[in-house]
Amino acid sequence: MKLRLIIALLLITAGIGSVSAQKTEAKQINMIKLDGRYLYGEATMPTEAEAKEAADITLINYINDKLKEHHIDRRLGLDGLEQTQYITVKRGANIRVFAYVECSVYGIPSAASQAAAVTETSAPAQPQPKPQPQPQPVAQAPAAPVETPRQQPQPEPQPQPVAQAPAAPVETPRPSAPQPAPKQQVPDRSIASGSGLSAWQAEAIEELLRTPNLNSAAQLLNEFRGARKVLAFGSPKECPDASKCFWVVFDNNLNTITVLSNGDNDVRHNFKTGSSDGLGNYSGSTAVWFMLSK
């Protein structure tokens, strides 16, 4: 009986310690968010590796937004993070990863430094000397105007109206009966046509094509993974087999360019243009791979 009581007390103590640790980590995360010296990104996924990868993508996009905002001629790719720190928190059956880095690592002015600069440059206003009253000139009475007699205007002769002959009635032609327009054959340009994709797979590709940038695409892929539409996604260095993966391609500002099908690097289908394309045509661009469910 005593042994069971001791075990129960130990379990309760361990549970209290775990909750206390989570509260401490959550408080630390909130303090970092409120501190203007840091940039951060976070994600919650079933595994720590997946959550860390998604948090990295979010952080990279946030850093690039700040670089563009401060007119710094630099953009990070998926492998460009430096001096990043992580906080991992257990959240039910999932793992939350919080990634953060100091603004100074990328030469971005922090909110605290900008506030200090504004305080230093704003000097108190100096009191201005009061103007001395100036003597006012004595106003001279205006001379009385001399009235001149006005001439009465003479009435102008009015023109007499000329009688017009009545106009002949104009006959309007009756409209003929409308002819039905010939039906045009509209070619099927949907993604599902001729691509070998099912209807829901084609719909997922179309949603990815509508994402404006990497951050939106990563969030959508994360939703697809939770809905079992996507088996996995990630950066090129973690791609298991490039030929079996679809690819979302982004430009240097991480804006979405297109989505490429699986296949050989130089023999893929460009879902935006509908033409043949290759992954090698986007050398130097940022890309994210993903695997669709069957």
Side-chain angles (χ1 to χ4, degrees), residues 195-208:
S195 63
L197 298 177
S198 63
W200 71 263
Q201 289 175 330
E203 183 180 352
I205 297 295
E206 289 175 350
E207 288 188 55
L208 283 169

Side-chain angles (χ1 to χ4, degrees), residues 62 77-78 90 118 125 141 145 149 159 193 197-198 205 215 221 225 292:
Y62 187 30
L78 292 176
K90 183 74 174 177
V118 170
S193 176
L197 298 177
S198 63
I205 297 295
N215 188 34
L221 287 170
R225 179 160 52 183
L292 283 173

Side-chain angles (χ1 to χ4, degrees), residues 18 47 78 112 121 143 162 164 218 220 247 254 257 272:
S18 176
T47 66
L78 292 176
T121 55
V162 179
Q164 299 288 338
L220 184 59
W247 293 81
L254 299 184
I257 298 177
K272 184 174 183 179

Side-chain angles (χ1 to χ4, degrees), residues 214-236:
L214 186 147
N215 188 34
S216 300
Q219 291 178 358
L220 184 59
L221 287 170
N222 192 21
E223 293 176 9
F224 285 165
R225 179 160 52 183
R228 307 298 182 188
K229 293 182 178 180
V230 166
L231 299 175
F233 72 93
S235 59

Side-chain angles (χ1 to χ4, degrees), residues 58-224:
T58 305
L59 176 58
I60 288 170
N61 195 64
Y62 187 30
I63 292 173
N64 284 326
D65 286 344
K66 288 297 182 181
L67 290 170
K68 184 177 181 180
E69 177 183 337
H70 293 283
H71 307 287
I72 300 175
D73 189 16
R74 179 185 180 185
R75 296 294 181 270
L76 298 186
L78 292 176
D79 302 328
L81 287 177
E82 303 173 16
Q83 303 180 30
T84 308
Q85 303 181 64
Y86 299 92
I87 299 175
T88 304
V89 183
K90 183 74 174 177
R91 178 177 286 180
N94 296 321
I95 300 294
R96 177 189 182 188
V97 172
F98 182 83
Y100 65 101
V101 63
E102 288 192 18
C103 297
S104 58
V105 173
Y106 300 98
I108 298 173
S110 65
S113 64
Q114 293 181 66
V118 170
T119 303
E120 290 176 0
T121 55
S122 58
Q126 298 294 331
Q128 298 295 329
K130 295 183 179 180
Q132 297 296 327
Q134 299 294 329
Q136 298 296 328
V138 178
Q140 300 292 332
V146 179
E147 295 185 359
T148 57
R150 298 182 180 179
Q151 295 181 357
Q152 297 297 328
Q154 298 297 327
E156 295 182 1
Q158 299 295 327
Q160 297 299 322
V162 179
Q164 299 288 338
V170 179
E171 294 184 0
T172 56
R174 295 182 179 180
S176 58
Q179 299 295 326
K183 294 184 179 180
Q184 297 182 353
Q185 297 293 332
V186 180
D188 185 6
R189 296 183 180 179
S190 63
I191 288 179
S193 176
S195 63
L197 298 177
S198 63
W200 71 263
Q201 289 175 330
E203 183 180 352
I205 297 295
E206 289 175 350
E207 288 188 55
L208 283 169
L209 285 172
R210 289 194 293 267
T211 57
N213 50 42
L214 186 147
N215 188 34
S216 300
Q219 291 178 358
L220 184 59
L221 287 170
N222 192 21
E223 293 176 9
F224 285 165

